[in-house]
Amino acid sequence: MVEIDHGCKCPGNPLLPQICKVIKITEETPDVKTFRIQTLDGKKPFTPLPGQLAMISVLNVGEAMFSLTAQGDDWIESSIKRVGFLTEALHNLFEGDLVGVRGPYGNHFPTEELKGRDILFVGGGIGLAPVRSFIRHAIAHRKDYGELDVLYGSRSYGDLVFKEDIFDHWPKACNTHITIDIEEDGWDGHVGFVPSYLEEKAFSPEGKAVVLCGPPIMITFCLISLAKMGFSKENVITTLEMRMKCGVGKCGRCNIGSKYVCLDGPVFTMAELEDLPDEQ
Amino acid sequence: MKIKKDKFKDALASIAKEAKVFLPMKGVYASEYRVWDGAGEPFFERNTALPPKELLFPRSERMYEYDLNAGTVTEAAPDEKIVIAGIRPCDVRSVEHLDKVFLESEYTDVYYRARRENLTMIAYGCATPAPTCFCDSMDVVPTDAPGADVVMNDAGNSYVLTVNTPKGEHIRDLISSFLSEGKADDVPAVSCSLKVEKPDDLHKQLIARFDDPMWETLSDACLGCGCCSYICPTCYCFDIGRENRGKTGTAFRCWDSCMFSDYSRMAGGHNPRPTKKERLRNRYLHKLAYFPERYGTSLCVGCGRCIDKCPARLDITNVPDIIQGSESNG
C-alpha cells in the first residue's frame, strides 16, 4: 500500500505570483516546449517536490496550472503543450521574457514511501512531463530504489518528448521501453499503443509500483492491462488535471467529490480515486 | 440592554463616525446591504434579496497590479472598517462558513482576512421568516446569531441588544448614551414554516446516489443562469482575470458559478461536467455533501433566496425531501 502525503503550505499571499524570467526554451515537439524559469535575481523560484504543480502566468494574458517536470539548483522547468489561449501565449515567448510563477501546489509523488521498491513509470504523450520529475528524482537517488522501468509512447517519433533523456540519459540508469503508435520511416523501435506494449512486456507486479500519466483513454486501457497483469489499485499511482484558478482549494472548480485536485492531489492512487465520485 | 427605535439612527450616526455602516435597504431593483448615508431607512420586513457576502468577498476585487516593464507586482490591501447593522442570523452563519474556507483551511486568503478583521456584524433576529425560509432546519436559530458581534431583536418600540464579542463591546461603548437597561430573554421563539427533514448521514446518502437518475430530473428545468450562485450567501467560487493595458494591468477575481459550462472546461475542450445535470449535481452536492465532508457542516444556511429567485423554480429542499421519501418508501 502506498500512502500519499497530503500536506503543503506556503507563507504569504498564495495568490500573488512572483515575477520570473524564462532563461531557456526547448522545443520538444511541434506543439510542446519546455520553459526553464528563474527569478529575476538568478535564483530558483521555489523547490517543488516531484509531482507538485505551479501556476504559471503570462501576466498580461492569464495563468494556468502546470506540472513541474524538472528542477536544478537555480531553476525550475515546465513542459507545456500548445492547446489553448494561454499556452499559445506561452509558446510565443522568447528567452528573457517575464512570466509570473506561484506555487508549489498540491501533494507529490510518494518518493519516500517507494524507497526500496521497483517502480514502473508509464507515460503517454505530454503525460511524461509530470512523471519525469519523479524519474529524475529516482535516478538522482538511484540507490534508494530497486529496478526502474520507463515505458513511454507517443503518436509518432516527432511527438516523443524529452528525446535526450529517453534515448541517452535514462537508459544508463533504468530500463527504457519506447513505442510509437504507428510505423514510420527511420523508426526501428517498438510500434503499438502503450497499454498493449505494457502487456507484451509482462512486468511482474511483485514488489513493483506503477506511476502512470497520459491521456484519459490511455489511462483507461492501461488500468485494464495492469489489472490483468496483477497490479493492485493501491500500487498504481497517477496524477490528474482539472481546470484551476486559485491552486489553493478555494475557487471551487477542480473538485472531485470533496477533494480538490490542486490541494489534495494531483497525485492519487487508483484505490483513492475509486473511493471518489466518478466524475468524467 | 435596549435601544429605543427612534434613537436607532442616532446610534448608527455614532458608529458611522469611525466605520462605513451598511444597512439592509430597499434598492431600485432588489433589496441589499447598502452604505448608510445618514438618512436612509432600514428594511427589516424580510431578508435582503442580495446576500451580504460581497462586503467580504466583492463581486469583483483587485488582487494585484502588474508591470511587465518594471518587472513588479503590487498587492492590493483592503483596509476599510465596516459595520453591518441588521444582518440576519442565516447570513451571519454564511459568514462563519466563508471563514472556514478563506481563513481556517490550509491556506489563508489575505484579501478576505483583511476585510473580515475590519468587519463588525450587528445581527437582526428574524421575527417573521419568509415562506421560503428554512434556516431552523439548517441548525440556525432565527432570533439568535452566536457568530455575530451584537445581536438585536425587535421588542415593540425598542431593540433588545446582546453583546457577544470584544468588537461588540466596542459598538456598545460607541452608542452607550442611547442605551437603557433591558432584558434579552423576552424574545419570543420563532419557527420557519418551511421544514426540511434531513437525516444525519444525508451527505453519505447523497454521495451513494451520485449516479441516480434524480439528478437528471432535478436539473431538467435548469436554465444554467447562475442566479442561485449569485444570490447564495455561501457560494464562494471565483474566477481570476485581468484588465490589461499593454504591459501593465490589474489582476482581479470575481464571482463565478459552477452552473456555467465554462467553469470547469479545460483548454483543449474537455469538460468534466459537460451538462446541466453534472453541474447542478455538483452544486447541490457541494452544499450538502462535499462541504460537510470537508468542513463538518452543511454549506446551506436555509435563507431560501435560491428558492425565491430561481426563474425555473428549482428548490434545493427537494434534494433532502427525495432522500427522505426514498427512505420512508423503504
Side-chain angles (χ1 to χ4, degrees):
Chain A
M1 173 76 186
V2 179
E3 292 290 336
I4 285 180
D5 168 24
H6 289 250
C8 82
K9 283 192 179 185
C10 303
N13 180 353
L15 301 179
L16 192 71
Q18 51 176 325
I19 302 257
C20 292
K21 191 188 283 187
V22 177
I23 54 168
K24 186 179 165 201
I25 298 174
T26 313
E27 268 200 73
E28 304 285 350
T29 76
D31 60 1
V32 176
K33 284 184 180 177
T34 298
F35 299 85
R36 183 169 290 189
I37 297 166
Q38 192 177 62
T39 62
L40 296 183
D41 54 357
K43 297 197 179 104
K44 192 172 182 170
F46 42 77
T47 302
L49 296 163
Q52 279 194 304
L53 308 168
M55 270 287 180
I56 301 179
S57 48
V58 177
L59 277 156
N60 50 2
V61 178
E63 73 183 341
M65 195 71 108
F66 298 99
S67 69
L68 293 165
T69 185
Q71 57 183 307
D73 289 337
D74 54 4
W75 51 265
I76 54 171
E77 229 174 53
S78 188
S79 294
I80 296 171
K81 183 166 172 157
R82 199 180 65 233
V83 285
F85 193 63
L86 172 69
T87 50
E88 181 79 43
L90 281 163
H91 274 242
N92 288 337
L93 293 178
F94 295 100
E95 288 175 4
D97 281 347
L98 302 183
V99 288
V101 181
R102 53 190 182 93
Y105 296 125
N107 67 354
H108 52 86
F109 287 119
T111 49
E112 286 298 312
E113 294 81 346
L114 291 186
K115 274 187 176 166
R117 303 264 310 264
D118 296 343
I119 310 176
L120 166 61
F121 299 98
V122 182
I126 186 68
L128 187 61
V131 177
R132 179 172 175 242
S133 62
F134 194 1
I135 299 175
R136 284 173 56 98
H137 176 91
I139 291 176
H141 303 85
R142 189 64 194 85
K143 286 196 205 107
D144 290 346
Y145 300 93
E147 198 170 12
L148 300 177
D149 283 276
V150 177
L151 192 147
Y152 173 56
S154 214
R155 277 171 301 181
S156 68
Y157 176 79
D159 287 304
L160 292 168
V161 293
F162 314 126
K163 290 194 182 65
E164 253 179 57
D165 282 342
I166 60 176
F167 293 121
D168 302 333
H169 301 152
W170 294 351
K172 290 173 194 148
C174 45
N175 315 314
T176 51
H177 319 275
I178 313 297
T179 181
I180 61 174
D181 289 355
I182 35 175
E183 275 183 66
E184 65 182 57
D185 289 345
W187 175 255
D188 55 4
H190 187 272
V191 175
F193 294 119
V194 168
S196 54
Y197 196 25
L198 206 51
E199 285 190 44
E200 240 172 77
K201 284 282 163 189
F203 295 101
S204 156
E206 195 64 37
K208 206 188 288 293
V210 181
V211 178
L212 173 68
C213 187
I217 187 75
M218 184 203 93
I219 294 201
T220 307
F221 283 101
C222 279
L223 289 178
I224 296 170
S225 302
L226 288 167
K228 249 193 257 176
M229 293 157 72
F231 285 91
S232 68
K233 291 192 158 62
E234 287 76 16
N235 283 319
V236 179
I237 300 151
T238 189
T239 168
L240 302 181
E241 65 172 357
M242 275 284 208
R243 186 163 194 185
M244 298 174 190
K245 289 285 180 174
C246 74
V248 290
K250 306 204 191 302
C251 79
R253 69 206 69 223
C254 72
N255 73 300
I256 298 179
S258 62
K259 301 283 183 204
Y260 289 110
V261 174
C262 68
L263 199 63
D264 307 306
V267 177
F268 294 94
T269 63
M270 281 302 159
E272 288 176 306
L273 288 182
E274 212 173 45
D275 286 340
L276 294 176
D278 185 22
E279 301 249 30
Q280 294 163 9
Chain B
M1 264 176 314
K2 278 185 173 178
I3 182 167
K4 286 257 184 330
K5 282 186 178 172
D6 57 12
K7 294 287 178 206
F8 183 62
K9 280 195 197 166
D10 294 336
L12 288 183
S14 308
I15 301 169
K17 281 180 194 151
E18 66 168 51
K20 218 175 198 177
V21 175
F22 283 78
L23 273 188
M25 289 164 95
K26 280 187 175 161
V28 179
Y29 300 106
S31 53
E32 59 181 329
Y33 294 89
R34 297 166 74 107
V35 188
W36 186 62
D37 58 2
E41 290 297 323
F43 172 66
F44 283 148
E45 284 77 52
R46 59 174 296 178
N47 201 359
T48 52
L50 298 179
K53 66 180 173 185
E54 80 173 291
L55 300 178
L56 286 166
F57 171 54
R59 292 169 210 206
S60 178
E61 165 175 44
R62 292 171 152 224
M63 293 167 64
Y64 54 87
E65 318 281 329
Y66 55 84
D67 183 337
L68 281 171
N69 296 313
T72 54
V73 286
T74 317
E75 196 178 346
D79 63 351
E80 201 172 41
K81 275 207 177 329
I82 287 179
V83 174
I84 311 181
I87 179 172
R88 301 274 169 149
C90 55
D91 286 344
V92 172
R93 177 62 54 82
S94 77
V95 172
E96 293 170 46
H97 290 343
L98 295 179
D99 285 352
K100 286 188 167 46
V101 175
F102 289 110
L103 300 180
E104 293 160 23
S105 62
E106 290 83 346
Y107 290 85
T108 299
D109 188 278
V110 299
Y111 308 105
Y112 182 91
R113 183 180 59 198
R115 290 195 158 83
R116 183 70 177 90
E117 283 172 353
N118 279 316
L119 174 74
T120 303
M121 291 189 283
I122 304 174
Y124 177 82
C126 265
T128 50
T132 47
C133 287
F134 58 103
C135 71
D136 60 357
S137 299
M138 305 314 278
D139 309 321
V140 174
V141 178
T143 51
D144 194 16
D149 301 295
V150 181
V151 181
M152 62 185 217
N153 273 291
D154 195 317
N157 59 0
S158 61
Y159 298 116
V160 180
L161 302 187
T162 313
V163 171
N164 286 339
T165 66
K167 275 183 186 171
E169 286 165 14
H170 180 66
I171 293 291
R172 181 193 59 201
D173 295 345
L174 283 179
I175 61 171
S176 56
S177 59
F178 307 106
L179 299 176
S180 59
E181 285 304 310
K183 295 203 305 286
D185 57 7
D186 49 9
V187 179
V190 168
S191 172
C192 299
S193 52
L194 177 58
K195 294 287 177 205
V196 181
E197 298 276 327
K198 60 178 174 62
D200 289 341
D201 65 342
L202 177 68
H203 64 285
K204 282 189 187 151
Q205 293 199 39
L206 284 170
I207 288 171
R209 295 180 64 170
F210 188 81
D211 294 315
D212 198 287
M214 71 176 183
W215 303 113
E216 192 90 51
T217 323
L218 281 168
S219 65
D220 208 26
C222 178
L223 305 173
C225 69
C227 168
C228 49
S229 319
Y230 194 75
I231 57 168
C232 175
T234 65
C235 266
Y236 58 82
C237 290
F238 59 85
D239 192 3
I240 295 176
R242 47 209 72 223
E243 243 165 35
N244 189 56
R245 291 182 170 206
K247 296 222 153 196
T248 62
T250 305
F252 62 88
R253 70 170 167 199
C254 56
W255 294 356
D256 202 348
S257 171
C258 58
M259 304 307 294
F260 298 153
S261 62
D262 224 19
Y263 175 77
S264 51
R265 191 176 64 211
M266 286 182 259
H270 178 68
N271 192 344
R273 296 193 270 272
T275 73
K276 60 186 180 180
K277 179 191 104 185
E278 291 87 7
R279 296 195 277 272
L280 188 82
R281 178 176 65 192
N282 186 64
R283 180 165 190 277
Y284 282 171
L285 288 182
H286 184 218
K287 298 281 176 211
L288 303 173
Y290 304 155
F291 199 84
E293 269 194 355
R294 199 168 183 101
Y295 295 105
T297 171
S298 159
L299 188 57
C300 177
V301 296
C303 73
R305 287 184 176 95
C306 58
I307 307 175
D308 186 36
K309 288 287 182 291
C310 176
R313 292 263 173 267
L314 298 191
D315 183 343
I316 190 167
T317 65
N318 286 342
V319 178
D321 283 352
I322 289 173
I323 296 291
Q324 283 296 100
S326 63
E327 247 194 358
S328 55
N329 292 344

